[in-house]
């Protein structure tokens, strides 16, 4: 049995927060933000929208596009670092309940911006083992609730949103997720973290931006080299290179080092900012809705985030015929 990537969906919150919002509140400029990050705007969830609500909207679209019944979903995995509740109940449990699913196994993954690739890896393993047949994976973030809006070095980077996909069993090898690599190094935890409740600090994200930038470029590049080598593939086999959307300069440096052509590279950071675990599925959804992603295309995902965690994935887009 193989695992196939059947469908994609996303929820993009309505409220647009431009760079001017930050200029009005702190010592920064449009020129600095655009030049250093490539970000022009990000989306912000409404005060009454929780992370699970964003995830539910993305999931509804993915489920509808996969053409499966709600009762067919036997596992829900949600990647998030901005859950509705502290540890329990998991956001996946809330999403399953709000969708009216038939009490499937549901749990969250905490792997920061690599979360969606981790979720993909888990879904692939459950499906290939025969334990589950239709897995809903979600990357959902309300990062605006954990951003420190007095820290000008981080606050303009992040936005809210959600993406979701259905991973289903197939006997057709041509439709299979080819490979997923996931890694972690807790020794570098101090680069990117959210303090715990006993720290005495607010539960806001903290990042050593410049150091993180350098490790991100190195790691995102080397991981792609490894996954391509391991699968005897080259850049020419890739239709869409979809990296985590943290910073335009990171994507450019990695894309250039790997010699991807512009038509292969996917860029959404300018309009959504960094949405952590939601960034890759939101980018896939953008490609799908614009007609850039077509049935049978090979995608290469490349993610990096707090933990540190990183991961890459090679997969076919295999919508149900
Ligand atoms: O999603 C997980 C992974 N995340 C990432 O990989 C993000 C990695 N980091 C980054 O994207 C970049 O490091 C940042 C965008 C956060 C910062 O860019 P940078 O080029 O690394 O800038 P920097 O931190 O070295 O700061 C350069 C200067 C400093 O001033 P001095 O010391 O040179 O006088 C900062 O104080 O820019 C200053 N600065 C700002 N100036 C205007 C920092 N934030 C701002 C700001 N507006 N918002």
């Amino acid at each position: 049995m193989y695992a196939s990537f059947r469908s994609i969906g996303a929820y993009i919150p309505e409220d647009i927060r431009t760079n001017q919002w930050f200029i009005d509140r702190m010592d920064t400029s449009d020129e600095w933000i655009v030049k250093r990050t490539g970000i022009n705007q990000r989306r912000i969830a409404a005060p009454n929208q929780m992370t699970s609500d964003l995830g539910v909207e993305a999931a509804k679209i993915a489920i509808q596009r996969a053409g499966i019944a709600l009762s067919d979903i036997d596992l829900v995995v949600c990647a998030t670092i901005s859950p509705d509740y502290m540890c329990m109940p998991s956001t996946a449990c809330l999403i399953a309940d709000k969708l009216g699913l038939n009490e499937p196994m549901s749990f969250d993954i905490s792997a920061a911006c690599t979360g969606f690739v981790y979720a993909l890896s888990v879904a692939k393993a459950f499906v290939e083992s025969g334990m589950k047949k239709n897995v809903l994976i979600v990357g959902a973030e309300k990062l605006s609730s954990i951003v420190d809006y007095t820290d000008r070095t981080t606050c303009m980077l992040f936005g809210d949103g959600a993406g979701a996909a259905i991973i289903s069993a197939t006997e057709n090898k041509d439709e299979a997720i080819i490979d997923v690599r996931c890694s972690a190094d807790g020794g570098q935890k101090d680069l990117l973290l959210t303090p715990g409740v006993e720290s005495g600090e607010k539960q806001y994200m903290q990042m050593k931006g410049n150091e993180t930038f350098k490790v991100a470029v190195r790691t995102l590049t080397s991981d792609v080299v490894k996954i391509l080598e391991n699968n005897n593939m080259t850049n020419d086999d890739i239709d869409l290179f979809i990296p985590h959307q943290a910073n335009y300069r990171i994507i450019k440096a990695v894309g250039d080092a790997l010699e991807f052509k512009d038509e292969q590279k996917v860029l959404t950071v300018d309009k959504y900012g960094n949405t952590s675990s939601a960034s890759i599925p939101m980018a896939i959804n953008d490609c799908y809705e614009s007609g850039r992603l077509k049935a049978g295309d090979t995608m290469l995902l490349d993610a990096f985030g707090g933990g540190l965690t990183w991961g890459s994935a090679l997969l076919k887009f295999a919508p149900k015929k």
Side-chain angles (χ1 to χ4, degrees):
M1 197 56 82
Y2 301 102
S4 63
F5 191 97
R6 282 278 184 242
S7 68
I8 187 73
Y11 176 73
I12 319 290
E14 275 174 33
D15 184 18
I16 295 174
R17 183 166 290 177
T18 62
N19 292 345
Q20 189 60 44
W21 190 91
F22 297 86
I23 295 162
D24 291 345
R25 287 164 177 80
M26 62 198 73
D27 180 18
T28 190
S29 66
D30 187 56
E31 194 202 355
W32 191 95
I33 300 173
V34 173
K35 211 165 144 193
R36 300 280 178 144
T37 70
I39 300 170
N40 290 306
Q41 60 180 51
R42 50 312 272 144
R43 299 298 182 113
I44 302 296
N48 63 348
Q49 278 181 314
M50 304 295 279
T51 295
S52 63
D53 298 316
L54 311 185
V56 162
E57 294 310 315
K60 280 182 191 165
I61 298 169
I63 295 166
Q64 183 260 321
R65 287 179 181 161
I68 58 171
L70 291 175
S71 55
D72 291 337
I73 296 171
D74 46 12
L75 172 61
V76 179
V77 182
C78 178
T80 185
I81 51 165
S82 47
D84 293 22
Y85 291 89
M86 179 76 69
C87 300
M88 66 175 176
S90 74
T91 306
C93 286
L94 304 174
I95 290 173
D97 177 57
K98 288 179 184 180
L99 286 169
L101 304 187
N102 191 20
E103 301 178 353
M105 177 181 184
S106 304
F107 61 89
D108 283 2
I109 284 184
S110 170
C113 307
T114 319
F116 188 76
V117 175
Y118 268 57
L120 190 65
S121 170
V122 169
K124 179 176 183 283
F126 268 98
V127 170
E128 285 178 353
S129 70
M131 284 178 70
K132 304 291 176 191
K133 286 198 165 48
N134 293 292
V135 185
L136 167 65
I137 59 171
V138 182
E141 304 286 5
K142 187 176 181 181
L143 296 180
S144 57
S145 65
I146 57 165
V147 161
D148 179 356
Y149 284 105
T150 65
D151 176 6
R152 71 169 184 160
T153 67
T154 58
C155 68
M156 76 299 168
L157 296 170
F158 299 101
D160 302 334
I166 296 291
I167 311 301
S168 296
T170 178
E171 289 177 356
N172 183 353
K173 197 176 178 196
D174 294 339
E175 295 182 336
I177 296 171
I178 302 162
D179 196 10
V180 188
R181 285 174 57 86
C182 290
S183 308
D185 175 11
Q188 299 191 73
K189 64 183 190 313
D190 294 336
L191 289 186
L192 247 167
L193 56 81
T194 312
V197 278
E198 295 205 8
S199 67
E201 293 181 77
K202 289 219 164 112
Q203 271 73 60
Y204 291 149
M205 279 187 285
Q206 299 173 9
M207 178 170 68
K208 293 181 179 158
N210 199 269
E211 272 178 75
T212 307
F213 187 103
K214 289 173 196 154
V215 185
V217 171
R218 252 196 334 266
T219 312
L220 286 162
T221 307
S222 62
D223 214 44
V224 162
V225 171
K226 283 180 200 146
I227 200 167
L228 286 174
E229 265 176 23
N230 289 353
N231 292 281
N232 295 317
M233 291 171 75
T234 68
N235 289 12
D236 294 340
D237 299 311
I238 306 303
D239 295 296
L240 292 172
F241 172 56
I242 309 174
H244 168 51
Q245 306 286 318
N247 184 318
Y248 168 72
R249 288 188 297 137
I250 296 179
I251 298 170
K252 173 144 179 37
V254 174
D256 288 353
L258 295 166
E259 297 181 353
F260 279 111
K261 299 185 191 101
D262 281 349
E263 56 266 33
Q264 291 172 295
K265 285 181 261 182
V266 175
L267 198 71
T268 58
V269 69
D270 54 326
K271 53 183 182 174
Y272 302 142
N274 181 346
T275 57
S276 193
S277 69
S279 98
I280 286 182
M282 284 167 75
I284 299 174
N285 184 69
D286 254 43
C287 294
Y288 176 75
E289 292 191 349
S290 68
R292 211 175 149 191
L293 173 65
K294 294 177 284 300
D297 277 356
T298 305
M299 297 184 272
L300 171 56
L301 315 183
D302 194 16
F304 174 89
L308 294 179
T309 58
W310 60 96
S312 53
L314 274 169
L315 64 158
K316 294 277 177 193
F317 180 50
K320 207 167 177 195
K321 285 162 200 136

